[in-house]
């Protein structure tokens, strides 16, 4: 494996959730939100390295019962 070039993360939430994006934090690069979705551009990622991404949402509980897991 070699360096990953122009790394991009995109996340789209299911339409049935009435969520409000509170914050996005990424260890390398920058993120842009569009409504409830977001895209992060992290540039190049060297072999063996990693990026940390933290996204905080407020979710409308009447629409969701129990834990909610979102995988990017």
């Amino acid at each position: 494996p070699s360096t990953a070039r122009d790394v991009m993360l995109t996340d789209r939430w299911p339409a049935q959730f009435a969520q409000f994006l509170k914050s996005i934090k990424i260890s390398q690069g920058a993120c842009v939100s569009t409504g409830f979705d977001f895209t992060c551009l992290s540039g190049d990622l060297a072999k063996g390295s990693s990026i940390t991404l933290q996204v905080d949402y407020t979710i409308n509980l009447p629409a969701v019962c129990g834990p909610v897991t979102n995988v990017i």
Side-chain angles (χ1 to χ4, degrees):
S2 60
T3 299
R5 304 279 179 206
D6 301 320
V7 175
M8 180 172 64
L9 303 168
T10 300
D11 190 33
R12 299 187 179 281
W13 277 79
Q16 69 267 28
F17 293 148
Q19 69 277 32
F20 301 95
L21 179 59
K22 293 172 66 177
S23 68
I24 306 171
K25 296 175 186 174
I26 191 164
S27 61
Q28 174 182 317
C31 300
V32 176
S33 63
T34 307
F36 303 132
D37 305 328
F38 66 87
T39 298
C40 297
L41 303 174
S42 297
D44 296 344
L45 186 60
K47 175 185 173 184
S49 62
S50 63
I51 296 170
T52 301
L53 176 67
Q54 177 181 334
V55 182
D56 293 324
Y57 280 94
T58 298
I59 298 175
N60 188 359
L61 285 179
V64 181
C65 295
V68 176
T69 301
N70 183 30
V71 179
I72 299 175

